[in-house]
């Protein structure tokens, strides 16, 4: 069986406007939106569009095989499968991983996995991160990871994004005030058509829920001395056949054994029955690091996955909990919103600076609109909320009686208005289905940087009961529901 890594080396990794449009056809198919899929497929048959779309691509020669061949390949299939099974989202992972080492174990790595479920990672079938790490002049490390997605086997597309993380001297990610990892994002850019590729790739990355968390979880578990990795050598005949066809044998890879985690959570924490939050509360499994100045058993150092235990002296009648995660009450949504950290890490290197600037500007515009809406809500007497780790990752929410208002914020320009609002419509409809219950009505809001001009989008929002607003209209929206 070939891995994604083998397919990238054999076929190359493409990234053009046509590749992205073709990938979007797979997204529509997996969403079973037959009408939209048919219309999109018909557009892709236009010869003029095909010629133009294939010509819109970034400069450069693509994947550098001499660098990729230095990578140690790690299969994260077991990690992704377990995270999906227990619905452990990005927020849960951030809370768990904030205090453990996630610095890559090798200078060059390729961490890949098959996607679980039709909705994961924009409907892709597999994903992979090419990870590089180097020491930073100010201490710690600079980690770079490039994301490749594959919708159709043998046709990988990427990198659709390159993410940068600063890691401190202990190998932990540097976080903002909300404990979210500070990261930069770069997207491919066509010099002749600025913004076209980067806008689409940014959209795919926003749909690639779970990819970054799965990467960090995999790296963290590789540091645990009681979590094993097994080396898999491809079958000889298949490897020889692959070498005859593509000039190189199949790659040996490593598989992470997650049993130390799964046994603890499933048997002691009842994770399958009660959910991951309750399981961690009951079994108190967690990562633990022992340093040279305080080694385990007087001699062992490093990071370990720590099974259930209790602290304290039973003779004194007291027991102290070592680790606790409290799942929220069923009728509670979100936590108090206290503003976003709009600053990104400083740029390292000169590659794709224009793309990085656009990404930073879009992020800053998004955060500004979000903060404006939060300020308007506060002034009107409402409490703006951000999502709790276990919830769908909406941008803002607030409660009014038995109504829960959920807002998705989008930075917009004349060129990306349709794409951004289309994505937001799908997001808020999903949030509503996830958060509605018998005693609560969920209202949907899309807040855009600029007023929406497209008539079809305005009508689509009206017919689906989505409030479409922008900063100049925030007070009007809020006053209407408060009256």
């Amino acid at each position: 069986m070939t891995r994604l890594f083998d397919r990238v080396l054999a076929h190359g990794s493409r990234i053009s406007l046509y590749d992205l449009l073709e990938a979007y056809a797979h997204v529509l198919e997996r969403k079973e939106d037959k009408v939209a899929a048919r219309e999109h497929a018909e557009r892709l048959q236009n010869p003029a569009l095909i010629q133009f779309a294939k010509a819109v691509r970034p400069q450069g020669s693509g994947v550098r095989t001499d660098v990729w061949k230095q990578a140690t390949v790690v299969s994260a299939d077991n990690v992704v499968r377990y995270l999906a099974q227990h619905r452990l989202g990005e927020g849960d992972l951030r809370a768990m991983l904030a205090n453990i080492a996630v610095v890559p174990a090798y200078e060059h790595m390729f961490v890949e996995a098959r996607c679980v479920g039709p909705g994961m990672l924009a409907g892709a079938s597999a994903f992979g991160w090419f990870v590089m790490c180097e020491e930073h002049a100010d201490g710690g490390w600079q980690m770079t990871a490039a994301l490749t997605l594959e919708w159709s086997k043998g046709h990988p597309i990427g990198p659709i994004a390159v993410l940068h993380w600063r890691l401190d001297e202990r190998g932990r990610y540097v976080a903002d005030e909300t404990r979210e990892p500070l990261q930069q994002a770069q997207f491919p850019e066509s010099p002749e058509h600025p913004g076209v590729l980067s806008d689409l790739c940014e959209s795919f990355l926003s749909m690639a829920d779970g990819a970054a968390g799965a990467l960090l979880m995999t790296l963290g578990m590789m540091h645990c001395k009681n979590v094993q990795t097994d080396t898999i050598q491809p079958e000889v005949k298949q490897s020889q056949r692959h070498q005859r066809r593509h000039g190189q044998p199949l790659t040996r890879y490593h598989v992470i054994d997650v049993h130390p985690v799964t046994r603890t959570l499933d048997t002691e924490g009842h994770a399958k029955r009660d959910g991951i939050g309750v399981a961690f509360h009951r079994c108190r499994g967690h990562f633990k690091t022992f340093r040279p100045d305080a080694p385990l058993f007087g001699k062992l150092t490093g990071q370990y996955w720590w099974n259930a235990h209790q602290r304290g002296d039973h003779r004194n009648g007291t027991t102290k909990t070592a680790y606790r995660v409290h799942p929220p009450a069923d009728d509670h949504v979100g936590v108090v919103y206290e503003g976003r950290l709009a600053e990104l890490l400083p740029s390292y290197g000169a590659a794709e600076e224009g793309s990085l600037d656009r990404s930073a500007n879009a992020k800053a515009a998004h955060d500004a609109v979000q903060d404006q809406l939060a300020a308007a809500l506060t002034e009107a007497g409402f409490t703006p909320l951000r999502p709790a780790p276990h919830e769908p990752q909406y941008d803002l929410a607030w409660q009014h009686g038995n109504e829960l208002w959920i807002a998705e914020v989008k930075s917009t320009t004349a060129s990306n208005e349709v794409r951004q609002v289309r994505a937001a419509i799908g997001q808020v409809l999903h949030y509503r289905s996830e958060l509605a219950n018998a005693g609560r009505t969920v209202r949907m809001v899309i807040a855009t940087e600029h007023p929406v001009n497209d008539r079809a989008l305005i009508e689509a929002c009206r017919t689906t009961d989505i409030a479409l607003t922008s900063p100049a209209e925030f007070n009007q929206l809020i006053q209407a529901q408060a009256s």
Side-chain angles (χ1 to χ4, degrees):
M1 179 185 69
T2 61
R3 306 295 310 182
L4 175 59
F5 182 81
D6 295 313
R7 297 193 290 274
V8 172
L9 290 183
H11 304 290
S13 184
R14 310 165 304 165
I15 186 75
S16 70
L17 176 59
Y18 183 80
D19 297 326
L20 296 173
L21 293 175
E22 195 174 45
Y24 188 61
H26 290 285
V27 175
L28 293 174
E29 288 173 5
R30 289 191 168 94
K31 287 183 175 180
E32 297 184 352
D33 189 342
K34 295 182 180 179
V35 174
R38 184 173 61 253
E39 292 176 351
H40 187 71
E42 290 173 356
R43 285 194 292 270
L44 285 180
Q45 300 303 313
N46 185 321
L49 173 62
I50 293 174
Q51 182 180 4
F52 170 75
K54 287 186 175 181
V56 179
R57 59 176 63 245
Q59 292 180 339
S61 57
V63 171
R64 288 188 54 188
T65 56
D66 59 326
V67 177
W68 274 57
K69 287 180 179 179
Q70 302 175 37
T72 298
V73 181
V74 176
S75 168
D77 287 338
N78 290 337
V79 177
V80 169
R81 190 178 301 112
Y82 190 73
L83 298 182
Q85 180 182 359
H86 295 291
R87 298 183 180 180
L88 191 58
E90 294 275 6
D92 301 292
L93 285 172
R94 284 195 295 268
M96 185 193 303
L97 300 172
N99 296 314
I100 71 165
V102 294
V103 63
Y106 304 93
E107 184 178 0
H108 298 87
M109 293 180 64
F110 189 79
V111 179
E112 64 168 88
R114 289 182 291 271
C115 299
V116 178
M120 183 182 181
L121 294 169
S125 59
F127 73 95
W129 291 99
F130 182 77
V131 185
M132 295 187 296
C133 193
E134 59 183 2
E135 294 185 1
H136 194 272
D138 297 330
W141 289 269
Q142 174 75 12
M143 182 170 74
T144 301
L147 177 61
T148 296
L149 295 174
E150 185 181 60
W151 284 268
S152 178
K153 190 172 182 178
H155 299 284
I157 298 177
I160 67 158
V162 178
L163 300 186
H164 303 270
W165 288 277
R166 266 296 306 277
L167 307 178
D168 64 20
E169 65 281 355
R170 294 172 295 180
R172 303 173 181 179
Y173 66 69
V174 178
D176 64 17
E177 58 189 10
T178 66
R179 301 188 72 184
E180 293 188 9
L182 278 173
Q183 65 184 39
Q184 290 176 301
Q186 294 175 285
F187 301 98
E189 188 66 272
S190 171
E192 294 81 11
H193 304 89
V196 175
L197 294 181
S198 58
D199 284 347
L200 278 172
C201 288
E202 185 176 4
S203 176
F204 277 124
L205 180 64
S206 69
M207 290 189 284
D209 183 39
L215 170 64
L216 295 176
M217 182 69 170
T218 302
L219 296 176
M221 293 187 72
M222 290 188 71
H223 283 283
C224 293
K225 294 190 175 182
N226 59 339
V227 174
Q228 297 181 342
T229 59
D230 299 321
T231 301
I232 306 298
Q233 189 70 42
E235 196 271 327
V236 174
K237 289 185 178 179
Q238 186 181 17
S239 184
Q240 291 174 343
R241 185 164 57 249
H242 188 82
Q243 184 167 20
R244 287 195 299 270
R245 292 177 178 175
H246 305 291
Q248 55 200 16
L250 293 176
T251 306
R252 181 181 64 179
Y253 61 97
H254 304 273
V255 175
I256 295 179
D257 178 9
V258 298
H259 287 164
V261 181
T262 59
R263 280 195 299 267
T264 300
L265 292 180
D266 289 340
T267 61
E268 300 181 38
H270 304 292
K272 291 179 180 177
R273 186 187 71 195
D274 298 333
I276 199 77
V278 177
F280 271 107
H281 169 69
R282 286 184 177 172
C283 75
R284 296 182 295 281
H286 60 288
F287 291 99
K288 194 167 186 176
T289 302
F290 294 92
R291 308 185 194 288
D293 58 342
L296 175 65
F297 303 134
K299 60 180 180 180
L300 300 179
T301 60
Q303 192 164 284
Y304 289 81
W305 177 259
W306 207 247
N307 286 344
H309 70 287
Q310 293 181 320
R311 298 175 59 196
D313 191 337
H314 288 283
R315 292 173 298 178
N316 297 331
T318 60
T319 302
K320 296 181 181 179
T321 300
Y323 183 82
R324 184 171 295 172
V325 176
H326 296 283
D330 290 340
D331 61 347
H332 178 72
V333 173
V335 294
V336 176
Y337 176 85
E338 297 175 344
R340 303 282 293 180
L341 185 67
E343 296 182 0
L344 294 171
L345 288 172
S347 176
Y348 295 94
E352 295 182 330
E353 289 181 357
S355 176
L356 182 59
D357 289 342
R358 273 182 286 277
S359 175
N361 290 339
K363 177 71 164 60
H366 175 281
D367 291 348
V369 174
Q370 189 166 294
D371 285 340
Q372 285 177 277
L373 179 55
L377 288 166
T378 301
E379 186 176 349
F382 295 98
T383 301
L385 305 169
R386 61 179 174 85
H390 70 288
E391 294 174 344
Q393 296 301 291
Y394 51 83
D395 285 322
L396 276 179
W398 64 96
Q399 303 228 221
H400 181 225
N402 68 342
E403 291 185 339
L404 173 66
W405 290 72
I406 297 291
E408 180 66 22
V409 176
K410 293 294 182 185
S411 60
T412 52
T413 63
S415 62
N416 73 3
E417 175 185 278
V418 172
R419 177 182 59 79
Q420 288 284 73
V421 178
R422 278 180 180 173
I425 291 172
Q427 287 172 281
V428 294
L429 288 171
H430 176 255
Y431 301 154
R432 183 179 65 177
S433 65
E434 288 285 305
L435 295 170
N437 60 35
R440 177 172 61 213
T441 300
V442 178
R443 303 293 187 191
M444 302 169 289
V445 177
I446 296 175
T448 57
E449 180 183 1
H450 304 290
V452 174
N453 295 313
D454 188 277
R455 296 286 183 185
L457 290 176
I458 295 172
E459 180 62 17
C461 289
R462 187 190 65 80
T463 56
T464 50
D465 293 325
I466 298 173
L468 192 57
T469 186
S470 57
E473 301 168 341
F474 284 169
N475 289 334
Q476 180 182 347
L477 170 73
I478 297 168
Q479 289 171 5
Q481 61 177 284
S483 59

